Amino acid sequence: MLLISCPNCGPRDETEFHYGGQAHIAYPESPNDLTDRQWAEYLFYRENTKGTFAERWVHSTGCRQWFNMLRDTVSYDIHSIYAMGQPRPDLSASAAAGTGSSQKTEPDQPGEFSQAGDYGQAGEPGLAPGASTTGAASPTATTPLSSEGV
């Protein structure tokens, strides 16, 4: 069980909080100009970082205030808690001083919205290799439906 230090209420059990997704995701400046694909990438495509990750949390049973947290997704260690609207703290300086090496796991300015392709891998930008862009199921992935047992 995590002990999360709410900026307003102090240390509390993790059951009082709810996860709100990746932090520093900026709303598009002109949402009416986005294509369906760009909207999908804004809404659903997020980083899946192994290591330090900036997250949004809300103290849902306490002060009901949102805040950001830098947490290690492997060890669950909480590195930093900071207010919404503040920039992400730079941990590379403290990590380099403490361990002698620093490996950066995220971009310099997370959450900057840009055109399609930022979340992509090999193949089409923004989609996993072989992913369909029409939303239709693959013909090889269909299974027969049965009404037995209903």
Side-chain angles (χ1 to χ4, degrees):
M1 185 84 45
L2 288 176
L3 183 64
I4 298 175
S5 182
C6 174
N8 302 310
C9 305
R12 299 287 193 267
D13 188 75
E14 75 175 296
T15 58
E16 294 188 19
F17 299 88
H18 282 97
Y19 177 76
Q22 182 178 347
H24 308 290
I25 302 296
Y27 191 78
E29 289 183 24
S30 54
N32 293 331
D33 296 337
L34 298 180
T35 65
D36 288 344
R37 182 185 183 116
Q38 290 168 325
W39 256 119
E41 288 187 10
Y42 166 72
L43 292 172
F44 304 113
Y45 284 63
R46 297 291 182 255
E47 295 177 15
N48 189 13
T49 302
K50 183 176 182 181
T52 304
F53 189 60
E55 306 170 330
R56 297 180 329 148
W57 286 79
V58 64
H59 192 180
S60 55
T61 62
C63 63
R64 298 184 180 177
Q65 297 296 308
W66 286 91
F67 59 91
N68 291 329
M69 177 191 307
L70 279 181
R71 184 178 64 89
D72 189 304
T73 59
V74 177
S75 66
Y76 296 100
D77 289 339
I78 298 172
H79 297 292
S80 178
I81 293 177
Y82 55 103
M84 297 293 284
Q86 289 184 342
R88 178 187 165 162
D90 183 20
L91 295 180
S92 61
S94 60
T99 63
S101 67
S102 172
Q103 183 175 1
K104 192 169 192 170
T105 59
E106 294 188 16
D108 288 334
Q109 297 184 7
E112 292 293 326
F113 183 78
S114 63
Q115 300 300 319
D118 286 349
Y119 305 102
Q121 299 185 16
E124 269 193 78
L127 297 174
S132 170
T133 58
T134 61
S138 169
T140 59
T142 59
T143 56
L145 299 176
S146 172
S147 61
E148 290 183 61
V150 176

